[in-house]
Amino acid sequence: VDAIPVHLFNGTWGVLSVGFLASPERLLAAYGMDKHVGWCYSWSRGSGDATLLGAQIVAVLFIIGWTFVIMFPFFLALDWKGWFRADPLDEIVGLDLSYHGGNALTADSSVKPEYFKAYEERRVKRRSSHRSSRRASSLSMNTNMARNQLHNDSEEEDEEKDEEDVIEATEHADISDSQSSRRRESGKSVET
């Protein structure tokens, strides 16, 4: 749900509706006076007094201005850091999957499989770069150097083993692909 229709439009209507529809009875009960009622009720009194409506319009303009002045620098900082919006690929595959690891609403998806594949590749790449940056920052610390070195050595061994497993799986997949293409080619030559 977009923030502007929900918060800006509905909030504006909520403030302006008081200027249109504030009844004399409610104003009298709440504030002890009913001199400036809602614009619709003032017509029934024969005056067309829009003082309360004007005050509500000024309030809406003040709220919009205040929000802009306070939030604009914050939004600029978020945009500068790259945190203002989700990544476009995350939006395509769905934020449920990218942030929470699964589809929340349906098991099937209308998203193309190549987007999921690209998302998974990027996720693996980000995780590996995050690990290396975390390791580099722990090496820069002067305290507990020996403990950090042991921890980093074990992580490097785990990563090397993971890399070897990925290379082995890739080579196995390449061998399987080449064998199946040879079978197809040999099948074609037998048929001709």
Side-chain angles (χ1 to χ4, degrees):
V1 178
D2 293 329
I4 289 176
V6 170
H7 297 285
L8 177 64
F9 296 153
N10 290 328
T12 300
W13 168 246
V15 173
L16 292 180
S17 65
V18 172
F20 284 113
L21 305 171
S23 69
E25 296 83 24
R26 303 248 179 191
L27 287 174
L28 193 57
Y31 303 109
M33 60 177 267
D34 64 348
K35 183 177 180 185
H36 301 291
V37 296
W39 193 52
C40 296
Y41 286 100
S42 69
W43 280 106
S44 67
R45 290 181 170 182
S47 70
D49 179 25
T51 304
L52 183 59
L53 180 60
Q56 296 301 100
I57 291 171
V58 169
V60 166
L61 294 175
F62 179 81
I63 292 168
I64 290 171
W66 176 264
T67 304
F68 181 79
V69 167
I70 296 298
M71 295 309 295
F72 188 70
F74 180 68
F75 289 150
L76 283 178
L78 286 175
D79 191 41
W80 180 70
K81 293 286 284 180
W83 297 344
F84 192 63
R85 291 197 54 104
D87 187 79
L89 187 58
D90 290 344
E91 289 182 3
I92 290 171
V93 298
L95 295 179
D96 288 335
L97 177 66
S98 61
Y99 285 106
H100 307 296
N103 271 339
L105 300 176
T106 60
D108 63 328
S109 176
S110 61
V111 179
K112 295 178 182 177
E114 56 263 20
Y115 291 134
F116 285 116
K117 183 178 179 184
Y119 169 75
E120 285 298 322
E121 289 171 356
R122 192 192 65 207
R123 189 175 69 129
V124 168
K125 189 180 204 181
R126 280 184 177 174
R127 284 186 176 173
S128 65
S129 69
H130 177 70
R131 284 183 191 148
S132 63
S133 67
R134 189 177 60 201
R135 190 173 347 120
S137 67
S138 67
L139 284 173
S140 67
M141 300 172 101
N142 291 331
T143 59
N144 300 325
M145 191 64 130
R147 186 181 62 168
N148 286 340
Q149 188 60 40
L150 289 174
H151 178 70
N152 290 335
D153 289 343
S154 67
E155 278 188 359
E156 287 174 5
E157 291 172 4
D158 291 343
E159 287 180 4
E160 288 174 6
K161 185 178 178 188
D162 290 344
E163 287 175 9
E164 290 172 3
D165 291 343
V166 169
I167 291 170
E168 183 179 293
T170 305
E171 290 173 353
H172 180 71
D174 290 342
I175 291 169
S176 298
D177 289 343
S178 64
Q179 287 175 350
S180 63
S181 64
R182 280 191 218 132
R183 285 186 197 130
R184 277 185 263 144
E185 289 173 6
S186 65
K188 287 180 185 175
S189 63
V190 171
E191 292 174 4
T192 58

